[in-house]
Amino acid sequence: MDQITEFSESIDRSLQFMQDLEHLMLLETEVLASRDIGRLQPILTEKQALIERLEQETGRQKQWVEGAGHAFTPAGIARFFRELDPSARLSNHWSTLKEAIERCDRLNHANGLLIERGRKRVAMSLRLLSGDDGQSTTYDPHGRPSSSKHRSRTLSRA
C-alpha cells in the first residue's frame, strides 16, 4: 500500500471518529438540556474512548508528516500534501476533517455553556435555601462588588 493510500485511510478513520463524536455531542446536548443526568455517563464514557482513538490516529498522522521532514502545523501539513499528492485529493480530504473538528469544537463550547448555566442555577438555589436572596450584592464607589451586611433569614430560621 502506498503512502497516499495509507494517509488517506487514516484521515477516513479520523473523519469517522469525528462524525461519531459529533453524534455523541449532540446527544450530550440533548441530555444536558433535559437535565436527564442518568443518561450522561455512558455518553461521556464513549466520548472518552473516541477521543483516545482520535489521539492515536492523529499521532500516526503526525509521524508521517514529521517523518517526511515537515512540522505538524498547518503550513507543514500543506507542504507534505503538495509533495505527496499533487492532485490535492488529500488536502481536500483533510479540509473535510478540519470542518468536522470545528463543528465538534462549537458543540463542545455550547455544551460547556449549558453545564455552566446548570451550575449557576444550582448555586442560586443553594444561596436561596441558605437565606441569601441573591439581591444582597451592591457595588462600592470604585465599582467593585460589596456584599451587604444585612442577610435574609435562612429557610431553617424562617
Side-chain angles (χ1 to χ4, degrees):
M1 191 179 302
D2 66 2
Q3 197 171 13
I4 293 173
T5 303
E6 287 181 39
F7 201 86
S8 180
E9 288 176 356
S10 178
I11 293 172
D12 285 341
R13 283 188 297 274
S14 291
L15 187 54
Q16 183 60 56
F17 295 150
M18 288 306 302
Q19 289 168 341
D20 293 346
L21 183 61
E22 185 174 8
H23 174 73
L24 282 173
M25 293 178 88
L26 287 169
L27 284 175
E28 181 182 45
T29 301
E30 178 185 308
V31 167
L32 290 169
S34 70
R35 297 186 199 138
D36 185 4
I37 303 306
R39 292 178 39 212
L40 191 59
Q41 190 55 52
I43 293 170
L44 295 177
T45 301
E46 193 172 344
K47 230 172 80 169
Q48 183 60 40
L50 273 172
I51 289 169
E52 288 171 10
R53 284 187 236 140
L54 268 165
E55 287 173 347
Q56 290 171 352
E57 204 60 49
T58 302
R60 285 187 206 105
Q61 294 160 0
K62 182 179 181 193
Q63 287 176 340
W64 274 316
V65 172
E66 290 177 345
H70 303 287
F72 196 66
T73 62
I77 293 168
R79 282 191 294 278
F80 173 74
F81 287 155
R82 278 194 304 274
E83 261 180 32
L84 189 63
D85 181 28
S87 73
R89 189 181 99 214
L90 283 177
S91 182
N92 293 336
H93 219 56
W94 188 261
S95 292
T96 302
L97 177 59
K98 286 186 348 185
E99 289 167 6
I101 291 168
E102 289 168 4
R103 284 192 308 272
C104 284
D105 188 49
R106 285 191 300 272
L107 280 169
N108 188 54
H109 181 73
N111 287 350
L113 291 174
L114 281 173
I115 290 168
E116 182 60 19
R117 273 190 231 128
R119 188 196 65 74
K120 285 181 179 178
R121 195 174 10 259
V122 168
M124 176 59 90
S125 295
L126 290 173
R127 279 196 310 270
L128 289 172
L129 288 171
S130 70
D132 183 353
D133 64 6
Q135 304 296 322
S136 60
T137 301
T138 58
Y139 296 90
D140 68 16
H142 303 288
R144 293 183 295 248
S146 171
S147 294
S148 170
K149 292 184 177 155
H150 172 39
R151 295 192 53 113
S152 301
R153 294 184 341 169
T154 65
L155 186 61
S156 62
R157 285 190 235 150

Short mmCIF file of all heavy atoms in Angstrom, two decimals, residues 46-100:
data_model
loop_
_atom_site.label_atom_id
_atom_site.label_comp_id
_atom_site.label_asym_id
_atom_site.label_seq_id
_atom_site.Cartn_x
_atom_site.Cartn_y
_atom_site.Cartn_z
N GLU A 46 -18.21 6.80 26.25
CA GLU A 46 -17.99 6.57 24.82
C GLU A 46 -17.22 7.71 24.17
O GLU A 46 -16.36 7.51 23.31
CB GLU A 46 -19.34 6.36 24.12
CG GLU A 46 -19.20 5.80 22.72
CD GLU A 46 -20.53 5.42 22.10
OE1 GLU A 46 -21.54 5.29 22.83
OE2 GLU A 46 -20.56 5.24 20.87
N LYS A 47 -17.52 8.93 24.61
CA LYS A 47 -16.80 10.10 24.10
C LYS A 47 -15.30 9.99 24.41
O LYS A 47 -14.46 10.25 23.55
CB LYS A 47 -17.37 11.37 24.77
CG LYS A 47 -17.73 12.46 23.83
CD LYS A 47 -18.46 13.59 24.55
CE LYS A 47 -17.52 14.50 25.26
NZ LYS A 47 -18.14 15.73 25.75
N GLN A 48 -14.99 9.58 25.63
CA GLN A 48 -13.58 9.45 26.03
C GLN A 48 -12.87 8.41 25.17
O GLN A 48 -11.74 8.62 24.73
CB GLN A 48 -13.48 9.08 27.52
CG GLN A 48 -12.06 9.00 28.03
CD GLN A 48 -11.32 10.32 27.88
OE1 GLN A 48 -11.86 11.39 28.10
NE2 GLN A 48 -10.05 10.25 27.51
N ALA A 49 -13.54 7.29 24.90
CA ALA A 49 -12.94 6.24 24.07
C ALA A 49 -12.68 6.76 22.64
O ALA A 49 -11.62 6.50 22.06
CB ALA A 49 -13.83 5.01 24.03
N LEU A 50 -13.62 7.52 22.11
CA LEU A 50 -13.44 8.09 20.77
C LEU A 50 -12.29 9.09 20.74
O LEU A 50 -11.50 9.12 19.79
CB LEU A 50 -14.72 8.80 20.32
CG LEU A 50 -15.76 7.95 19.63
CD1 LEU A 50 -17.05 8.73 19.42
CD2 LEU A 50 -15.24 7.43 18.31
N ILE A 51 -12.20 9.89 21.76
CA ILE A 51 -11.12 10.88 21.82
C ILE A 51 -9.76 10.18 21.87
O ILE A 51 -8.81 10.60 21.21
CB ILE A 51 -11.32 11.84 23.02
CG1 ILE A 51 -12.52 12.76 22.72
CG2 ILE A 51 -10.07 12.64 23.32
CD1 ILE A 51 -12.99 13.56 23.90
N GLU A 52 -9.68 9.09 22.62
CA GLU A 52 -8.42 8.33 22.68
C GLU A 52 -8.06 7.76 21.31
O GLU A 52 -6.90 7.80 20.90
CB GLU A 52 -8.52 7.23 23.73
CG GLU A 52 -8.50 7.78 25.15
CD GLU A 52 -8.81 6.73 26.21
OE1 GLU A 52 -8.84 5.51 25.89
OE2 GLU A 52 -9.01 7.13 27.38
N ARG A 53 -9.05 7.22 20.58
CA ARG A 53 -8.79 6.70 19.23
C ARG A 53 -8.35 7.82 18.30
O ARG A 53 -7.45 7.64 17.47
CB ARG A 53 -10.02 5.99 18.69
CG ARG A 53 -10.20 4.62 19.30
CD ARG A 53 -11.34 3.87 18.62
NE ARG A 53 -12.25 3.50 19.70
CZ ARG A 53 -13.56 3.53 19.66
NH1 ARG A 53 -14.17 3.89 18.56
NH2 ARG A 53 -14.27 3.18 20.68
N LEU A 54 -8.99 8.97 18.43
CA LEU A 54 -8.60 10.13 17.62
C LEU A 54 -7.16 10.55 17.91
O LEU A 54 -6.40 10.87 16.99
CB LEU A 54 -9.54 11.30 17.89
CG LEU A 54 -10.74 11.41 16.99
CD1 LEU A 54 -11.77 12.36 17.59
CD2 LEU A 54 -10.35 11.87 15.61
N GLU A 55 -6.80 10.57 19.18
CA GLU A 55 -5.43 10.94 19.54
C GLU A 55 -4.42 9.96 18.96
O GLU A 55 -3.36 10.36 18.48
CB GLU A 55 -5.29 11.00 21.06
CG GLU A 55 -5.97 12.20 21.68
CD GLU A 55 -5.98 12.18 23.20
OE1 GLU A 55 -5.68 11.12 23.82
OE2 GLU A 55 -6.30 13.23 23.78
N GLN A 56 -4.74 8.67 18.98
CA GLN A 56 -3.85 7.67 18.40
C GLN A 56 -3.70 7.88 16.89
O GLN A 56 -2.59 7.83 16.35
CB GLN A 56 -4.36 6.26 18.68
CG GLN A 56 -4.26 5.85 20.12
CD GLN A 56 -4.98 4.52 20.41
OE1 GLN A 56 -5.67 3.97 19.57
NE2 GLN A 56 -4.80 4.02 21.63
N GLU A 57 -4.82 8.11 16.23
CA GLU A 57 -4.78 8.30 14.77
C GLU A 57 -4.03 9.58 14.43
O GLU A 57 -3.23 9.62 13.50
CB GLU A 57 -6.20 8.34 14.22
CG GLU A 57 -6.29 7.98 12.76
CD GLU A 57 -5.78 6.57 12.46
OE1 GLU A 57 -6.16 5.60 13.14
OE2 GLU A 57 -4.98 6.45 11.49
N THR A 58 -4.24 10.63 15.20
CA THR A 58 -3.52 11.88 14.98
C THR A 58 -2.02 11.68 15.19
O THR A 58 -1.21 12.25 14.46
CB THR A 58 -4.06 12.99 15.91
OG1 THR A 58 -5.46 13.15 15.65
CG2 THR A 58 -3.36 14.31 15.69
N GLY A 59 -1.67 10.86 16.18
CA GLY A 59 -0.26 10.55 16.41
C GLY A 59 0.38 9.88 15.19
O GLY A 59 1.52 10.20 14.82
N ARG A 60 -0.36 8.96 14.56
CA ARG A 60 0.15 8.31 13.34
C ARG A 60 0.32 9.34 12.22
O ARG A 60 1.33 9.33 11.51
CB ARG A 60 -0.82 7.21 12.88
CG ARG A 60 -0.76 5.98 13.71
CD ARG A 60 -1.62 4.86 13.08
NE ARG A 60 -2.02 3.98 14.15
CZ ARG A 60 -3.22 3.91 14.71
NH1 ARG A 60 -4.20 4.66 14.25
NH2 ARG A 60 -3.47 3.10 15.69
N GLN A 61 -0.65 10.20 12.07
CA GLN A 61 -0.57 11.23 11.03
C GLN A 61 0.63 12.15 11.28
O GLN A 61 1.36 12.51 10.36
CB GLN A 61 -1.88 12.02 10.97
CG GLN A 61 -3.05 11.17 10.52
CD GLN A 61 -4.39 11.75 10.87
OE1 GLN A 61 -4.50 12.82 11.48
NE2 GLN A 61 -5.45 11.03 10.51
N LYS A 62 0.82 12.49 12.53
CA LYS A 62 1.96 13.34 12.90
C LYS A 62 3.28 12.66 12.55
O LYS A 62 4.19 13.30 12.02
CB LYS A 62 1.90 13.67 14.39
CG LYS A 62 3.00 14.59 14.86
CD LYS A 62 2.88 14.89 16.34
CE LYS A 62 4.01 15.83 16.73
NZ LYS A 62 4.16 15.96 18.15
N GLN A 63 3.38 11.37 12.82
CA GLN A 63 4.60 10.62 12.49
C GLN A 63 4.86 10.65 10.98
O GLN A 63 6.00 10.82 10.56
CB GLN A 63 4.50 9.18 12.98
CG GLN A 63 4.64 9.04 14.46
CD GLN A 63 4.45 7.60 14.93
OE1 GLN A 63 3.87 6.76 14.24
NE2 GLN A 63 4.93 7.32 16.14
N TRP A 64 3.82 10.47 10.18
CA TRP A 64 4.00 10.51 8.73
C TRP A 64 4.51 11.87 8.27
O TRP A 64 5.44 11.97 7.49
CB TRP A 64 2.70 10.21 7.99
CG TRP A 64 2.41 8.76 7.77
CD1 TRP A 64 3.27 7.80 7.35
CD2 TRP A 64 1.15 8.11 7.95
NE1 TRP A 64 2.63 6.60 7.27
CE2 TRP A 64 1.32 6.76 7.62
CE3 TRP A 64 -0.11 8.55 8.35
CZ2 TRP A 64 0.29 5.83 7.67
CZ3 TRP A 64 -1.13 7.62 8.39
CH2 TRP A 64 -0.94 6.29 8.07
N VAL A 65 3.87 12.91 8.77
CA VAL A 65 4.23 14.27 8.34
C VAL A 65 5.65 14.60 8.80
O VAL A 65 6.48 15.07 8.00
CB VAL A 65 3.21 15.31 8.87
CG1 VAL A 65 3.69 16.73 8.61
CG2 VAL A 65 1.83 15.08 8.24
N GLU A 66 5.95 14.35 10.06
CA GLU A 66 7.29 14.65 10.58
C GLU A 66 8.34 13.73 9.98
O GLU A 66 9.48 14.14 9.77
CB GLU A 66 7.30 14.58 12.11
CG GLU A 66 6.52 15.74 12.72
CD GLU A 66 6.45 15.68 14.24
OE1 GLU A 66 6.75 14.61 14.83
OE2 GLU A 66 6.09 16.71 14.84
N GLY A 67 7.97 12.49 9.68
CA GLY A 67 8.89 11.55 9.04
C GLY A 67 9.30 12.01 7.64
O GLY A 67 10.37 11.65 7.14
N ALA A 68 8.45 12.81 7.01
CA ALA A 68 8.75 13.36 5.69
C ALA A 68 9.50 14.68 5.80
O ALA A 68 9.77 15.34 4.80
CB ALA A 68 7.46 13.55 4.90
N GLY A 69 9.83 15.08 7.06
CA GLY A 69 10.62 16.29 7.26
C GLY A 69 9.82 17.57 7.39
O GLY A 69 10.36 18.66 7.19
N HIS A 70 8.55 17.46 7.73
CA HIS A 70 7.71 18.65 7.87
C HIS A 70 7.19 18.76 9.30
O HIS A 70 7.02 17.77 9.99
CB HIS A 70 6.51 18.58 6.91
CG HIS A 70 6.91 18.43 5.48
ND1 HIS A 70 7.46 19.45 4.75
CD2 HIS A 70 6.87 17.35 4.66
CE1 HIS A 70 7.72 19.02 3.53
NE2 HIS A 70 7.38 17.74 3.46
N ALA A 71 6.93 19.98 9.71
CA ALA A 71 6.34 20.21 11.03
C ALA A 71 4.86 19.84 10.97
O ALA A 71 4.21 20.00 9.93
CB ALA A 71 6.50 21.67 11.43
N PHE A 72 4.33 19.37 12.08
CA PHE A 72 2.91 19.03 12.14
C PHE A 72 2.13 20.30 12.48
O PHE A 72 1.54 20.45 13.55
CB PHE A 72 2.66 17.91 13.16
CG PHE A 72 1.33 17.25 13.01
CD1 PHE A 72 1.03 16.49 11.88
CD2 PHE A 72 0.37 17.36 13.99
CE1 PHE A 72 -0.20 15.87 11.74
CE2 PHE A 72 -0.88 16.74 13.87
CZ PHE A 72 -1.16 16.00 12.73
N THR A 73 2.17 21.23 11.56
CA THR A 73 1.47 22.52 11.64
C THR A 73 0.67 22.66 10.35
O THR A 73 0.92 21.92 9.38
CB THR A 73 2.47 23.68 11.76
OG1 THR A 73 3.27 23.69 10.56
CG2 THR A 73 3.36 23.55 12.99
N PRO A 74 -0.25 23.61 10.28
CA PRO A 74 -0.98 23.78 9.01
C PRO A 74 -0.06 23.98 7.80
O PRO A 74 -0.28 23.37 6.75
CB PRO A 74 -1.86 25.01 9.27
CG PRO A 74 -2.11 24.96 10.75
CD PRO A 74 -0.81 24.45 11.34
N ALA A 75 0.98 24.78 7.96
CA ALA A 75 1.91 25.01 6.84
C ALA A 75 2.70 23.75 6.50
O ALA A 75 2.88 23.41 5.32
CB ALA A 75 2.86 26.16 7.18
N GLY A 76 3.16 23.04 7.53
CA GLY A 76 3.92 21.81 7.30
C GLY A 76 3.07 20.73 6.66
O GLY A 76 3.53 19.99 5.77
N ILE A 77 1.83 20.63 7.09
CA ILE A 77 0.92 19.63 6.52
C ILE A 77 0.62 19.98 5.07
O ILE A 77 0.57 19.10 4.20
CB ILE A 77 -0.37 19.53 7.37
CG1 ILE A 77 -0.03 18.94 8.75
CG2 ILE A 77 -1.44 18.72 6.67
CD1 ILE A 77 -1.14 19.05 9.78
N ALA A 78 0.43 21.26 4.77
CA ALA A 78 0.18 21.69 3.38
C ALA A 78 1.36 21.31 2.49
O ALA A 78 1.16 20.81 1.37
CB ALA A 78 -0.09 23.19 3.33
N ARG A 79 2.59 21.52 2.96
CA ARG A 79 3.77 21.14 2.17
C ARG A 79 3.83 19.62 1.99
O ARG A 79 4.13 19.12 0.91
CB ARG A 79 5.05 21.65 2.85
CG ARG A 79 5.30 23.13 2.61
CD ARG A 79 6.70 23.56 3.06
NE ARG A 79 6.90 23.45 4.49
CZ ARG A 79 6.51 24.36 5.39
NH1 ARG A 79 5.89 25.44 4.99
NH2 ARG A 79 6.73 24.18 6.68
N PHE A 80 3.53 18.89 3.06
CA PHE A 80 3.51 17.43 3.00
C PHE A 80 2.52 16.96 1.92
O PHE A 80 2.83 16.11 1.10
CB PHE A 80 3.13 16.87 4.37
CG PHE A 80 2.92 15.40 4.42
CD1 PHE A 80 4.00 14.52 4.38
CD2 PHE A 80 1.64 14.86 4.53
CE1 PHE A 80 3.82 13.14 4.44
CE2 PHE A 80 1.44 13.49 4.59
CZ PHE A 80 2.53 12.62 4.54
N PHE A 81 1.32 17.56 1.90
CA PHE A 81 0.32 17.17 0.91
C PHE A 81 0.77 17.52 -0.51
O PHE A 81 0.56 16.73 -1.43
CB PHE A 81 -1.02 17.85 1.20
CG PHE A 81 -1.74 17.27 2.40
CD1 PHE A 81 -2.65 18.06 3.08
CD2 PHE A 81 -1.52 15.99 2.86
CE1 PHE A 81 -3.34 17.56 4.19
CE2 PHE A 81 -2.19 15.47 3.96
CZ PHE A 81 -3.11 16.26 4.62
N ARG A 82 1.36 18.69 -0.69
CA ARG A 82 1.83 19.09 -2.03
C ARG A 82 2.88 18.11 -2.54
O ARG A 82 2.86 17.75 -3.71
CB ARG A 82 2.39 20.51 -2.01
CG ARG A 82 1.33 21.58 -2.10
CD ARG A 82 1.91 22.96 -2.42
NE ARG A 82 2.93 23.40 -1.47
CZ ARG A 82 2.68 24.03 -0.33
NH1 ARG A 82 1.45 24.31 0.02
NH2 ARG A 82 3.66 24.40 0.46
N GLU A 83 3.78 17.70 -1.66
CA GLU A 83 4.83 16.74 -2.05
C GLU A 83 4.25 15.37 -2.35
O GLU A 83 4.62 14.73 -3.32
CB GLU A 83 5.83 16.57 -0.89
CG GLU A 83 7.07 17.36 -1.01
CD GLU A 83 7.98 17.12 0.19
OE1 GLU A 83 7.98 16.01 0.76
OE2 GLU A 83 8.70 18.07 0.54
N LEU A 84 3.38 14.91 -1.48
CA LEU A 84 2.87 13.55 -1.55
C LEU A 84 1.78 13.38 -2.59
O LEU A 84 1.70 12.36 -3.26
CB LEU A 84 2.33 13.15 -0.17
CG LEU A 84 1.94 11.71 0.05
CD1 LEU A 84 3.15 10.79 -0.11
CD2 LEU A 84 1.34 11.54 1.44
N ASP A 85 0.94 14.40 -2.74
CA ASP A 85 -0.25 14.26 -3.58
C ASP A 85 -0.54 15.55 -4.32
O ASP A 85 -1.37 16.36 -3.89
CB ASP A 85 -1.44 13.87 -2.69
CG ASP A 85 -2.72 13.69 -3.47
OD1 ASP A 85 -2.67 13.33 -4.66
OD2 ASP A 85 -3.80 13.91 -2.87
N PRO A 86 0.10 15.75 -5.48
CA PRO A 86 -0.13 16.98 -6.24
C PRO A 86 -1.58 17.15 -6.71
O PRO A 86 -2.01 18.25 -7.03
CB PRO A 86 0.80 16.85 -7.44
CG PRO A 86 1.76 15.76 -7.09
CD PRO A 86 1.11 14.89 -6.08
N SER A 87 -2.36 16.07 -6.71
CA SER A 87 -3.75 16.17 -7.17
C SER A 87 -4.64 16.87 -6.15
O SER A 87 -5.79 17.18 -6.45
CB SER A 87 -4.32 14.77 -7.44
OG SER A 87 -4.55 14.08 -6.22
N ALA A 88 -4.15 17.09 -4.94
CA ALA A 88 -4.87 17.79 -3.85
C ALA A 88 -6.00 16.95 -3.26
O ALA A 88 -6.82 17.47 -2.51
CB ALA A 88 -5.36 19.15 -4.29
N ARG A 89 -6.05 15.67 -3.59
CA ARG A 89 -7.09 14.81 -3.01
C ARG A 89 -6.96 14.76 -1.49
O ARG A 89 -7.94 14.89 -0.77
CB ARG A 89 -6.98 13.41 -3.62
CG ARG A 89 -8.14 12.51 -3.24
CD ARG A 89 -8.00 11.14 -3.84
NE ARG A 89 -7.46 10.28 -2.79
CZ ARG A 89 -6.63 9.29 -2.98
NH1 ARG A 89 -6.20 9.00 -4.18
NH2 ARG A 89 -6.21 8.56 -1.98
N LEU A 90 -5.73 14.58 -1.00
CA LEU A 90 -5.51 14.53 0.45
C LEU A 90 -5.85 15.86 1.11
O LEU A 90 -6.44 15.89 2.19
CB LEU A 90 -4.07 14.16 0.77
CG LEU A 90 -3.69 12.69 0.62
CD1 LEU A 90 -2.20 12.51 0.92
CD2 LEU A 90 -4.52 11.81 1.52
N SER A 91 -5.48 16.93 0.48
CA SER A 91 -5.75 18.25 1.03
C SER A 91 -7.26 18.49 1.17
O SER A 91 -7.72 19.02 2.19
CB SER A 91 -5.12 19.32 0.14
OG SER A 91 -5.33 20.59 0.69
N ASN A 92 -8.02 18.09 0.17
CA ASN A 92 -9.48 18.23 0.24
C ASN A 92 -10.05 17.36 1.35
O ASN A 92 -10.95 17.78 2.08
CB ASN A 92 -10.12 17.87 -1.10
CG ASN A 92 -9.75 18.87 -2.18
OD1 ASN A 92 -9.42 20.02 -1.90
ND2 ASN A 92 -9.79 18.42 -3.42
N HIS A 93 -9.53 16.16 1.45
CA HIS A 93 -9.96 15.23 2.49
C HIS A 93 -9.66 15.81 3.88
O HIS A 93 -10.47 15.70 4.80
CB HIS A 93 -9.17 13.92 2.28
CG HIS A 93 -9.94 12.68 2.49
ND1 HIS A 93 -11.11 12.38 1.85
CD2 HIS A 93 -9.68 11.64 3.32
CE1 HIS A 93 -11.53 11.21 2.25
NE2 HIS A 93 -10.68 10.73 3.15
N TRP A 94 -8.48 16.38 4.02
CA TRP A 94 -8.06 16.99 5.28
C TRP A 94 -8.98 18.16 5.64
O TRP A 94 -9.33 18.35 6.80
CB TRP A 94 -6.61 17.45 5.16
CG TRP A 94 -5.99 17.93 6.42
CD1 TRP A 94 -5.83 19.22 6.83
CD2 TRP A 94 -5.45 17.12 7.47
NE1 TRP A 94 -5.21 19.26 8.05
CE2 TRP A 94 -4.96 17.98 8.47
CE3 TRP A 94 -5.30 15.74 7.64
CZ2 TRP A 94 -4.36 17.53 9.63
CZ3 TRP A 94 -4.70 15.28 8.80
CH2 TRP A 94 -4.23 16.17 9.79
N SER A 95 -9.38 18.94 4.64
CA SER A 95 -10.29 20.07 4.89
C SER A 95 -11.62 19.59 5.43
O SER A 95 -12.20 20.23 6.33
CB SER A 95 -10.52 20.86 3.60
OG SER A 95 -9.33 21.50 3.21
N THR A 96 -12.11 18.47 4.93
CA THR A 96 -13.36 17.90 5.43
C THR A 96 -13.21 17.50 6.89
O THR A 96 -14.10 17.75 7.71
CB THR A 96 -13.76 16.66 4.58
OG1 THR A 96 -13.89 17.06 3.22
CG2 THR A 96 -15.07 16.06 5.06
N LEU A 97 -12.06 16.93 7.23
CA LEU A 97 -11.79 16.55 8.62
C LEU A 97 -11.73 17.80 9.51
O LEU A 97 -12.31 17.82 10.60
CB LEU A 97 -10.48 15.77 8.72
CG LEU A 97 -10.01 15.38 10.11
CD1 LEU A 97 -11.05 14.51 10.82
CD2 LEU A 97 -8.67 14.64 10.04
N LYS A 98 -11.07 18.85 9.05
CA LYS A 98 -10.99 20.08 9.84
C LYS A 98 -12.36 20.69 10.08
O LYS A 98 -12.64 21.20 11.16
CB LYS A 98 -10.05 21.09 9.15
CG LYS A 98 -8.59 20.74 9.28
CD LYS A 98 -7.61 21.75 8.77
CE LYS A 98 -8.10 22.86 7.96
NZ LYS A 98 -7.08 23.74 7.39
N GLU A 99 -13.24 20.62 9.09
CA GLU A 99 -14.61 21.14 9.26
C GLU A 99 -15.34 20.35 10.34
O GLU A 99 -16.06 20.95 11.16
CB GLU A 99 -15.37 21.06 7.94
CG GLU A 99 -14.88 22.06 6.90
CD GLU A 99 -15.42 21.77 5.50
OE1 GLU A 99 -16.27 20.86 5.33
OE2 GLU A 99 -14.99 22.47 4.56
N ALA A 100 -15.17 19.03 10.35
CA ALA A 100 -15.79 18.20 11.39
C ALA A 100 -15.25 18.56 12.77
O ALA A 100 -16.01 18.64 13.75
CB ALA A 100 -15.57 16.72 11.10
#
